[in-house]
Every structure is written in structure tokens, then in C-alpha cells.
Amino acid sequence: MNYVVVGASAAGINGVKYIRQLEPDANITLISKDDHIYSRCILHHYLEGIRDIKALEFVEDGFIEKNNINWIKGVAVEKIEPKQKELILSDGRTVSYDKVLLATGASTFFPPVKNLNDAKNVFGLRNLDDAIEIKEKAQYAKNIVVMGAGLVGIDALTGLLHYGKNLTLVEFKGHMLSIQLDKRAAKTYQDAFTNEGVTQYYDTAVQEVIMDETGAVKALALSNGLIIDCDFLIVATGVRSNVAFLQDSGIECDRFGLIFDEYGRTSDESVYGAGDISGRNPIWPAAVKEAIIAATNMCGHKRELTDFFASKSTMNFLHIPTMSLGTPEPADETYKVDIEEDGQGNYKKIIHKDGVIYGALIQGDLSYSGVLTQLIREKINIDKVEKSIFKIDYSDFFHLTDNCQFTYND
């Protein structure tokens, strides 16, 4: 069997890893635009200078050689021909496959802001090349603005704190990390960044990039009427899945990205997908899980994506740990919300309905996160537990039988 995996990040690397485990003698080819295997989640560590390129790797030394992978690196897939089962590469080569896993990820989305796509000194932070360029050129800037307060934006901000620059954050939503956090948890981070000297604007959009005579960004016009100095702009307003090569292929996509089912299968029986190429659940654990599922099914072993709680984010900005599970706000008034604070920086919030927990936030002490994750993943009903929702532990559901075995009691 001839397997091909496109993309060398979380989904792609776990894809080749599991295919090799299941098919020791198969031919496996990995194709990637990247020359390195690295974690995009910690690119800010490179900006901070606490990791070099080698320390960004998330595989063991010799991973490619030990797994006998044919790695075609530094090239992109420009077209796929499903009928011929061929991939057309940017260097003109053609690669054949029996089954292929598409894990090409996503790229920075530049919104339709006047001059944003034309101005110099405007960067995204999505791959290693971006991080290298930002680290090299940011030292010459004076006023750095990060546009977007999602995870990537806050990563960029954190990585630049020690550069000694004037840092500003501009966010369209009402608070930082609006997908992961509520206003209370976000304020803890916002206050911490204020203490670090970061100017922040919320409920504010960038309306125009103002350029100097050389075409470089020199200021930004904001929706609140302000014009702020900016000679270095990092755009972190979201991503778009890398699916351009699928155009005219007949493989089904939607406005988000590639469509694949709970087995990783696309509309073509020989083509599978995993990770950010779907435009959904753009987090590392989801990409890894989807790759494992896809690789397993590619190798003929049926496995379904049923046991993963996708909306889970763990962060630790400015030494403040936080975990977000599910939605940070109730969907409507039928949901109950329980909150616990201790005045020492520890904050817990649980969203539940009819005994089932649908979302939770924990900031500070994360020791309760394991129990909460299990309760949500298994949809365990907590209605019969009489103690506080913040004091539930495994002993409330798993009981010892006479023969010293643990059983789960609903």
C-alpha cells in the first residue's frame, strides 16, 4: 500500500506515526511546505528567545528515519487528481497514492481592511517563517500593534513583551480570548497585560492601515475614532483553511474547509482529512485525535471519533494557568451557572443543564480540571450528587465492590 500524508504539523506527523505502527511495511510519503517539524503552539517561545528551532520540535530525534518515511519537504501540493490518484507538487513533480491524508492546516486570514494587504511591515504568525521574520525585524520597530486577541494574538503579545517596544492590542470583541473565556476570566489576563505596559482596545476594529511614503505601515485608524502609531503590525484575526489545491477536484468542501466524517473520510473514498484543514476545532488535541482516527481507518481498522471533547483549551499566560472546557457562557436561560471564587486568584465556573455539564472555566488552581473533563466527556449526570458541584470527585461515581473491583454507578 502506498500512503501519502500532506502536512507536517500535529495532524500530519501523528498521521504518519500511526500509519507506520499499523502498516510496518507500507510505503509512506510525507509532503510539506515546512523544512522543519515544529509545534505552532509554542512559536511565541521562539519569539521570547527561550527556545531555538530545535527546541520547537515535538518528535524524537531521527523520527523520519526510524519510521522509514520518504519526506518531500519545502514544496506544496498545488493540485490533486482523485481519478488518477495523483498529487501535483509546486516543483512540478507528481506523487501517486493509494490513500492520502490531507493535513495542510490553515493560514493567517487578513480581513478586508484598507491597505492591510499592501502595506510593508505587516505580518501573520502562523508558521516558523513568520516567527523568524518577526523576531528579526521587530527589534527595529518602536510601536508594535497586535490585531486580534485570540490565542495566536496573545501568544504574539507574550513573545514580544521583553523587546522593550510600545505594545498595543486591538480586538473587535468585548474582551480578550472571547472564544475561550468569559469577561471575568479575561479581565485577569487583561489586568496582567496592563501591568506589563500593554495598551488595549476592545470593541474596536482597525478600519485603515495608514502608510508612509515608502509604503510601510505608520499608523492605524480605529473604529473608536483614534489614530494610533504603528510601524509593525501583527495580524491575528483568525485563519482560513488551506484548501485552494482542492479546487475543481470534486472533493467536497464548505465555507470552512475540507469536509470529513467521524472516520476521517472525505467524499472520495481514498482521501482522508485531519486538523485545521477542516476550518473547525483549530486546536492541537483535536488535530492529533482526528489524525489518529483517519490513519487507523486508512489502514482498514474501523475507528470512530466519538470519545473526544473538542472545545478544550489550556493556557498559561503571564504565569496565570487557565483551562476552558466547552462554551464559556450558557447558550440560553435554561442553563444553570455556578461560580466559585476565593479571592486568591482562583476562579471556577460551571455551566450545566439537567444534571449534565456543558462548559467550565478554571483559572488559577487547575487541580479540579481532570474530574471536570471526565464528567463532561462521559456526560455523567450529577443531579444525584448532594455535595457542591465544585467538590465532586471520582469516589462519587466509582464504587468498590466486594471483590475489590471499581464499578461506575450512574
Side-chain angles (χ1 to χ4, degrees), residues 138-163:
Q139 59 184 312
Y140 303 108
K142 182 179 179 181
N143 300 297
I144 300 176
V145 177
V146 176
M147 181 178 167
L151 288 170
V152 174
I154 305 307
D155 277 344
L157 199 62
T158 303
L160 294 168
L161 283 175
H162 73 288
Y163 281 50

Side-chain angles (χ1 to χ4, degrees), residues 182-200:
D182 63 6
K183 288 187 176 181
R184 163 62 183 80
K187 188 176 186 301
T188 299
Y189 283 126
Q190 291 167 195
D191 290 346
F193 278 105
T194 296
N195 291 336
E196 293 289 334
V198 179
T199 302
Q200 300 162 65

Side-chain angles (χ1 to χ4, degrees), residues 211-237:
M211 300 184 290
D212 64 17
E213 62 278 2
T214 70
V217 56
K218 72 171 184 178
L220 302 177
L222 306 184
S223 61
N224 60 10
L226 293 178
I227 294 178
I228 61 173
D229 292 334
C230 173
D231 55 4
F232 196 96
L233 176 61
I234 297 176
V235 179
T237 51

